């Protein structure tokens, strides 16, 4: 893998870890997506078909260097999330960076789609954090807790994403890796809590009506700053900082 902006160089693993480290001690929320060259983020509803070897390296860096992995309930169910399971390489990387052995998954839900027996709750190696709002059925919240989840209530009738991120930070989970989906990304942008956008542009054309990285809430155009571009076998890995 090589960097083509801002400089031109071949990258070592140490270089990649330095580029994709989370920046601020208080809170740093990075959003990760892979898209086709024409902007699609799914094929038949899932992102896996778009992922390239280079994208998987970047995806793994996001997981490995994070305190917590944030995901929408719909994405967790569609993609079959069962929590993080670091292999020897990832475990070593987390040890070297002073991180907990396993990052928990934080799932955002309005209540309807996430059952207490969902694999992202019942098969996770460390307790999953379920982020919801006060209007969610109390019995459902109790079911998540009984299944082993750490339930966070943020907001009254809808999830307040500022409160949600603050609740994660209060638990010491300040390096936040968001894995989507598009509606969650748009809501995080609307709450002005996104610090970095990491986008892999894969060398495919999809057409169709697949979603783009952010969809849902309408926001004023957010100014972003391109800080690095990597290339590997036709894939481009872009990093943008979001101006607050």
């Amino acid at each position: 893998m090589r960097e083509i902006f801002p400089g031109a160089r071949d990258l070592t693993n140490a270089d990649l870890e330095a580029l994709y480290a989370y920046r601020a001690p208080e809170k740093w929320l990075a959003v990760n997506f892979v898209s086709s060259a024409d902007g699609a983020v799914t094929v038949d509803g899932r992102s896996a078909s778009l992922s390239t070897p280079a994208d998987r390296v970047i995806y793994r860096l996001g997981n490995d260097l994070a305190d917590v992995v944030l995901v929408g309930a719909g994405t967790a169910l569609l993609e079959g999330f069962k929590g993080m399971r670091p292999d020897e390489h990832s475990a070593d990387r987390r040890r070297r960076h002073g991180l907990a052995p396993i990052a928990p998954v934080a799932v955002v839900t309005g209540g309807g789609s996430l059952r207490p027996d969902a694999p992202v709750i019942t098969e996770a190696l460390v307790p999953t954090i379920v982020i919801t709002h006060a209007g969610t059925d109390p019995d459902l919240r109790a079911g998540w807790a009984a299944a082993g989840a750490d339930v966070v209530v943020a907001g009254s009738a809808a999830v307040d994403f500022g409160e949600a991120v603050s609740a994660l930070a209060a638990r010491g989970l300040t390096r936040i890796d968001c894995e989507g989906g598009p509606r969650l990304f748009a809501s995080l942008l609307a709450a002005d809590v996104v610090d970095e956008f990491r986008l892999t542009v894969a060398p495919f054309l999809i057409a169709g009506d697949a979603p783009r990285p952010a969809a849902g809430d309408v926001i004023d155009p957010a100014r972003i700053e391109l800080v690095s571009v990597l290339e590997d076998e036709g894939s481009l890995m872009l990093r943008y900082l979001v101006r607050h």
Side-chain angles (χ1 to χ4, degrees):
M1 195 176 300
R2 64 193 182 100
E3 182 182 68
I4 58 177
F5 175 83
R9 56 176 176 147
D10 292 329
L11 298 173
T12 65
N13 285 335
D15 293 330
L16 287 168
E17 289 179 6
L19 273 176
Y20 284 87
Y22 293 78
R23 300 295 183 86
E26 296 83 10
K27 184 274 295 180
W28 193 262
L29 195 158
V31 176
N32 282 276
F33 268 94
V34 58
S35 81
S36 64
D38 56 337
V41 297
T42 61
V43 178
D44 295 329
R46 300 187 63 186
S47 63
S49 297
L50 290 170
S51 186
T52 62
D55 174 62
R56 289 189 283 276
V57 170
I58 301 306
Y59 175 87
R60 187 172 181 177
L61 279 164
N63 289 172
D64 288 353
L65 298 176
D67 292 315
V68 61
V69 177
L70 179 65
V71 65
T75 297
L77 297 172
L78 282 171
E79 301 288 348
F81 273 53
K82 297 179 181 179
M84 298 298 107
R85 284 169 167 76
D87 60 16
E88 184 176 345
H89 177 76
S90 294
D92 175 68
R93 178 181 276 162
R94 292 185 67 81
R95 279 194 300 269
R96 287 189 287 104
H97 287 269
L99 298 167
I102 302 173
V105 174
V107 185
V108 180
T109 178
S113 61
L114 186 67
R115 294 169 51 92
D117 62 355
V120 71
I121 296 175
T122 60
E123 298 187 32
L125 298 180
V126 296
T128 293
I129 301 166
V130 176
I131 300 173
T132 190
H133 57 81
T136 306
D137 182 349
D139 291 337
L140 185 56
R141 296 205 303 268
W144 293 326
D150 174 10
V151 180
V152 172
V153 176
S156 54
V159 173
D160 183 312
F161 288 93
E163 285 186 23
V165 169
S166 294
L168 293 176
R171 286 163 167 75
L173 307 175
T174 58
R175 301 188 261 297
I176 304 169
D177 173 36
C178 178
E179 301 290 351
R183 292 192 176 276
L184 175 57
F185 184 19
S187 296
L188 293 168
L189 286 172
D192 194 28
V193 294
V194 177
D195 300 294
E196 184 177 347
F197 178 37
R198 301 170 177 178
L199 175 66
T200 296
V201 180
F204 304 113
L205 295 171
I206 303 301
D209 57 358
R212 59 187 188 179
D217 289 355
V218 177
I219 63 170
D220 291 332
R223 181 69 180 176
I224 56 178
E225 175 188 357
L226 181 66
V227 291
S228 71
V229 181
L230 313 184
E231 188 277 335
D232 186 80
E233 297 184 350
S235 293
L236 295 176
M237 283 64 68
L238 313 175
R239 289 178 50 247
Y240 294 94
L241 301 185
V242 181
R243 296 182 181 176
H244 294 288

